[in-house]
Amino acid sequence: MTRMLKENNLSKNQQIVLDIIEKAKGPLKAYSILFNVQKKGIKAPPQIYRALDKLIEIGKIHKIESKNAFVACRSSNCEISKATAFSICESCEKVDEISDKSLSKYLSSYNDKKGMKFKKFNLEFFGLCKKCK
Amino acid sequence: MTRMLKENNLSKNQQIVLDIIEKAKGPLKAYSILFNVQKKGIKAPPQIYRALDKLIEIGKIHKIESKNAFVACRSSNCEISKATAFSICESCEKVDEISDKSLSKYLSSYNDKKGMKFKKFNLEFFGLCKKCK
DNA sequence: TTACATAGTGTTATATTATAACAAAATAAA
DNA sequence: TTTATTTTGTTATAATATAACACTATGTAA
Ligand SMILES: [Zn+2]
Ligand SMILES: [Zn+2]
Ligand SMILES: [Zn+2]
Ligand SMILES: [Zn+2]
């Protein structure tokens, strides 16, 4: 019997949340996601946060820590989010994921003076985007 | 008349909050600071958050975004916090500020491909500290 | 198939983090 | 002094996130 390969391993709630985040033009907050999916039967915060946690874990989305908001991963290298960098416009709140091999390489191989070996980093740049400056 | 130079321009609440953060061994959360200073007459969250905001603004402390917690600045170069980097142990929660001229220079002069000019960045590394690995 | 384990769901309640708004007091500058 | 600015104290509330528990769906292996 031919073995079915499961292409899409997302659950219903995970897919709903991912769809919304991917369609959004900017970072979304958990409760704004919640309000947007209440018509689809998702009624309570834990359902959103569980989906968000899973999507982060598998690298489909990232959390912008300085904004408590979530964006879809736009970088195909990002299977697991262990090396993330973002540019954030302080005026219009536009957020872009930075996919720069040399930056990522530089930081991934960075060793600090205290003998700590890093597994993961998150970098957030702030400034004004083209449109806002 | 000789002009008095004000050496220490912190207000009472700002100084109380800074003292606690500087004495702490690790990052402190806003409400844990609040509970610790209630004996000193500070009773409500806004008093803490205002002090924190001011201390961040003048570079005396930094916020660890991934932990919603605050640490004292240990880097004398950090008058204004526009270039911050931290190492965070995922096991014991130890946080160290990274003061590395070359890292800071590399990131401060980083230009992204979308024509955005950055004014500020925050970098958080995660891993296991010496003790925990 | 059955049995078992794992992952996901729905729900209620609550914990944690942060800000709005406004009047009063302290401090700095003119 | 007068005036402006900053800081404080206070109450209330907003925004973000998790605990706990019963239940359902799905995957794995005997
Ligand atoms: Zn990504
Ligand atoms: Zn902008
Ligand atoms: Zn610093
Ligand atoms: Zn450690």
Side-chain angles (χ1 to χ4, degrees):
Chain A
M1 200 185 180
T2 49
R3 195 127 168 58
M4 261 314 189
L5 265 188
K6 204 174 182 190
E7 288 299 314
N8 179 346
N9 53 354
L10 295 181
S11 74
K12 180 182 132 261
N13 288 358
Q14 288 158 13
Q15 190 63 59
I16 290 172
V17 169
L18 179 58
D19 285 346
I20 296 229
I21 295 175
E22 283 184 334
K23 268 183 278 183
K25 289 180 184 143
L28 291 184
K29 303 223 159 205
Y31 276 74
S32 103
I33 295 169
L34 175 58
F35 298 141
N36 274 282
V37 297
Q38 286 186 326
K39 45 184 174 288
K40 289 192 173 129
I42 299 183
K43 286 174 185 154
Q47 297 172 286
I48 301 297
Y49 282 101
R50 284 176 198 141
L52 290 171
D53 288 348
K54 183 67 179 191
L55 293 168
I56 288 169
E57 190 193 321
I58 63 179
K60 293 284 189 185
I61 66 170
H62 304 297
K63 181 174 186 182
I64 307 301
E65 295 287 355
S66 61
K67 303 174 81 67
N68 298 316
F70 304 85
V71 294
C73 177
R74 306 296 186 190
S75 154
S76 49
N77 341 11
C78 248
E79 278 294 300
I80 291 158
S81 341
K82 60 186 203 310
T84 47
F86 302 93
S87 76
I88 301 168
C89 176
E90 286 177 308
S91 166
C92 70
E93 315 267 283
K94 181 173 161 53
V95 170
D96 273 312
E97 184 164 4
I98 298 173
S99 308
D100 177 338
K101 274 262 164 66
S102 81
L103 174 64
S104 171
K105 203 169 171 184
Y106 179 89
L107 292 175
S108 294
S109 62
Y110 183 81
N111 284 300
D112 93 329
K113 289 152 184 165
K114 307 236 167 101
M116 196 162 158
K117 178 68 187 165
F118 301 126
K119 292 180 196 151
K120 208 176 111 181
F121 69 82
N122 180 54
L123 172 59
E124 299 182 1
F125 281 109
F126 303 88
L128 293 177
C129 75
K130 239 180 190 167
K131 257 175 56 188
C132 291
K133 78 183 166 195
Chain B
M1 200 186 183
T2 48
R3 198 130 166 54
M4 260 317 189
L5 267 189
K6 202 174 185 190
E7 288 300 312
N8 179 344
N9 53 355
L10 294 181
S11 75
K12 180 181 132 262
N13 288 0
Q14 288 158 13
Q15 191 63 59
I16 291 171
V17 170
L18 179 58
D19 285 347
I20 296 227
I21 296 175
E22 284 183 336
K23 267 181 278 181
K25 288 182 184 142
L28 292 184
K29 303 222 159 205
Y31 276 74
S32 106
I33 295 169
L34 176 58
F35 297 140
N36 275 282
V37 298
Q38 286 185 326
K39 45 185 175 289
K40 290 193 171 127
I42 299 183
K43 286 174 186 156
Q47 297 171 285
I48 302 296
Y49 281 102
R50 283 176 198 141
L52 291 172
D53 288 347
K54 182 70 179 189
L55 292 168
I56 288 169
E57 189 193 321
I58 63 179
K60 293 285 189 186
I61 66 169
H62 303 297
K63 181 173 186 182
I64 307 301
E65 294 287 356
S66 60
K67 303 174 80 67
N68 297 318
F70 304 86
V71 294
C73 177
R74 307 295 185 188
S75 153
S76 49
N77 341 12
C78 246
E79 278 294 300
I80 292 158
S81 341
K82 61 186 202 314
T84 48
F86 303 94
S87 76
I88 301 168
C89 176
E90 287 177 308
S91 166
C92 70
E93 314 268 284
K94 181 173 160 55
V95 170
D96 273 313
E97 184 165 3
I98 299 174
S99 307
D100 177 337
K101 274 262 165 65
S102 81
L103 173 64
S104 171
K105 203 169 171 184
Y106 178 89
L107 292 175
S108 295
S109 62
Y110 183 82
N111 285 300
D112 93 330
K113 289 155 183 162
K114 305 236 168 101
M116 198 162 156
K117 178 67 186 166
F118 301 126
K119 294 180 194 151
K120 208 175 113 184
F121 68 81
N122 180 54
L123 171 59
E124 298 182 2
F125 281 108
F126 303 88
L128 293 176
C129 77
K130 239 178 190 168
K131 257 176 56 188
C132 290
K133 78 182 164 194

